[in-house]
């Protein structure tokens, strides 16, 4: 279960939880989308919020595209984007639609076959989305 969030920018409370898809990446292989779902607590609403997405710098995961997708709308990352952290200002969230937020991630060729995660912070709410790194089985 995600953490409840409420910010001054969005005038409603919500939770964020990992998307329904299990994400498995192969070192040096294709990228995959990793995401969360926003669910209102009580009355739904709409507003803009800051979103930060990050990975452990030692995980071997990177973001091949510096953008966040909210349903079908893409938001470019801010100028402070790094290999392991992307930030997005003024992302429109309409909880009445139970939006899904996602980013694209890839595992470098030297990524160890250990569980890792992508962290999403949406306003004051945060949630880790597990990522499985496939081994040489």
């Amino acid at each position: 279960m995600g953490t409840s969030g409420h910010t001054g920018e969005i005038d409603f409370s919500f939770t964020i939880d990992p998307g329904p898809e299990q994400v498995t990446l192969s070192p040096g292989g294709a990228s995959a989308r990793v995401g969360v779902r926003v669910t209102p607590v009580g009355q739904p609403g709409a507003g803009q919020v800051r979103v930060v997405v990050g990975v452990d710098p030692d995980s071997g995961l990177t973001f091949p595209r510096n953008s966040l997708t909210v349903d079908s709308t893409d938001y470019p990352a801010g100028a402070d984007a790094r290999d392991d952290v992307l930030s997005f200002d003024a992302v429109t969230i309409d909880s009445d639609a139970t939006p899904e937020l996602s980013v694209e991630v890839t595992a470098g060729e030297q990524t160890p076959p250990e569980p890792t995660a992508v962290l999403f912070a949406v306003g004051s709410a945060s949630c880790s989305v597990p990522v499985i790194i496939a081994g040489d089985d």
Side-chain angles (χ1 to χ4, degrees):
M1 182 68 137
T3 304
S4 294
H6 183 81
T7 72
E9 299 163 329
I10 289 183
D11 197 24
F12 63 90
S13 294
F14 58 90
T15 62
I16 60 173
D17 297 288
E21 309 290 322
Q22 177 178 310
V23 178
T24 302
L25 294 170
S26 295
S31 61
R33 299 216 57 91
V34 177
V36 295
R37 180 172 292 146
V38 175
T39 305
V41 176
Q43 293 293 330
Q48 294 186 327
V49 68
R50 179 176 169 83
V51 176
V52 178
V53 182
V55 295
D56 181 328
D58 297 325
S59 70
L61 298 182
T62 58
F63 303 106
R65 293 182 50 224
N66 287 350
S67 66
L68 172 77
T69 302
V70 179
D71 293 328
S72 61
T73 302
D74 286 333
Y75 290 87
D80 58 348
R82 302 188 321 241
D83 288 342
D84 59 338
V85 177
L86 302 177
S87 64
F88 308 90
D89 291 321
V91 174
T92 300
I93 302 291
D94 180 357
S95 71
D96 197 33
T98 312
E100 291 190 25
L101 290 66
S102 65
V103 294
E104 192 172 331
V105 294
T106 190
E109 289 190 22
Q110 302 303 315
T111 302
E114 302 170 356
T116 188
V118 177
L119 176 69
F120 283 78
V122 181
S124 61
S126 63
C127 179
S128 289
V129 180
V131 175
I132 297 168
I133 306 299
D136 292 334
D137 303 343

